[in-house]
Amino acid sequence: MASIPTIETERLLLRPHTIDDFPAYQTLWSDEAVVRHISGIPSTREQTWARLMRAAGMWHHMGFGFLAIEEKSTGQMIGEAGFHEVRRDMSPSIEGTLEVGWLLSPESQGRGYAMEALQALIGWAGANFPGKPMTCIISPENLASLRLAGKLGFAEFARADYHGDVILLSRSGTPPA
C-alpha cells in the first residue's frame, strides 16, 4: 500500500483526506458553481461520501490520487487536486496516464491556489512517476482551467465526447497519451 504524502507550499497544505473533511467536502461537491464544468450536477451526500472513500482507494491501488487542499492561514479545506485513473469510456483513451484534476471553492478561486497546488503536485509526480504521461480533460467553456493548464505546460491533443464536449490535454515534457 502506497503512503499518501503531505506536501507543503507557501500558503497551502496538500494532505490526505480525512473523515473530518466530509462536511466541507460535501459543501464543495454540492455547489453548482463548483461542479458547473465538471458534471454540471451537484453531488448528493451519498455520492460525495463515495467520492471521499474513493480518494483513499486510488492511493492504495495506484500509488497516486487526490489530496485535500488546506489553506494554511485558516486551516480550512478549500478544495482538492491530484491524479487519478478513471478508465473513462472515451476515445481517444487516456488510460495509463496521470490524469490531473483540481477543484476549489468559489471563494478560493482566482487567488493562485490552483497553480500553487498543481506545481507542487506535478513536481511530486515527476519525482515518483518519472516519464509517465500527464493528461487532463477540461470543458471548452472552462476558460480559467484551460488558461491554468496552458501555464502548467498542457496543450490540446484531441477533443472528445465524454458526457458532453471535452478538450483532452497532455503536458509537454511527458510522453503523449
Side-chain angles (χ1 to χ4, degrees):
M1 178 152 103
S3 173
I4 304 175
T6 296
I7 303 169
E8 191 169 343
T9 69
E10 181 182 339
R11 300 177 297 164
L12 305 171
L13 189 62
L14 310 174
R15 58 164 177 77
H17 294 82
T18 70
I19 297 296
D20 292 337
D21 291 328
F22 183 59
Y25 203 57
Q26 183 178 6
T27 298
L28 280 171
W29 281 99
S30 65
D31 188 324
E32 289 181 9
V34 171
V35 300
R36 178 180 63 231
H37 296 300
I38 299 171
S39 67
I41 302 167
S43 293
T44 65
R45 185 173 187 270
E46 180 179 345
Q47 290 166 331
T48 304
W49 178 256
R51 186 182 304 277
L52 183 66
M53 294 297 104
R54 184 174 67 203
M58 186 69 62
W59 282 102
H60 175 78
H61 292 289
M62 303 299 292
F64 54 81
F66 273 62
L67 295 172
I69 302 173
E70 181 179 308
E71 187 178 45
K72 285 162 91 174
S73 65
T74 65
Q76 297 295 309
M77 185 187 130
I78 59 169
E80 68 175 342
F83 309 96
H84 54 196
E85 167 89 37
V86 181
R87 308 271 165 113
R88 299 177 191 279
D89 187 15
M90 179 176 71
S91 182
S93 174
I94 57 173
E95 286 185 23
T97 71
L98 290 168
E99 183 186 335
V100 182
W102 59 93
L103 171 85
L104 286 174
S105 65
E107 52 277 355
S108 300
Q109 295 173 10
R111 299 172 65 186
Y113 286 156
M115 174 66 91
E116 188 173 327
L118 290 167
Q119 285 176 323
L121 285 162
I122 288 169
W124 175 88
N128 289 276
F129 294 91
K132 190 166 178 87
M134 287 186 205
T135 59
C136 58
I137 65 171
I138 301 174
S139 165
E141 293 82 33
N142 192 344
L143 300 179
S145 286
L146 287 169
R147 277 191 303 274
L148 176 60
K151 289 177 184 176
L152 291 165
F154 287 87
E156 179 178 343
F157 72 88
R159 297 211 174 201
D161 179 6
Y162 182 73
H163 307 290
D165 293 332
V166 294
I167 299 173
L168 285 73
L169 301 105
S170 183
R171 187 164 186 274
S172 62
T174 64

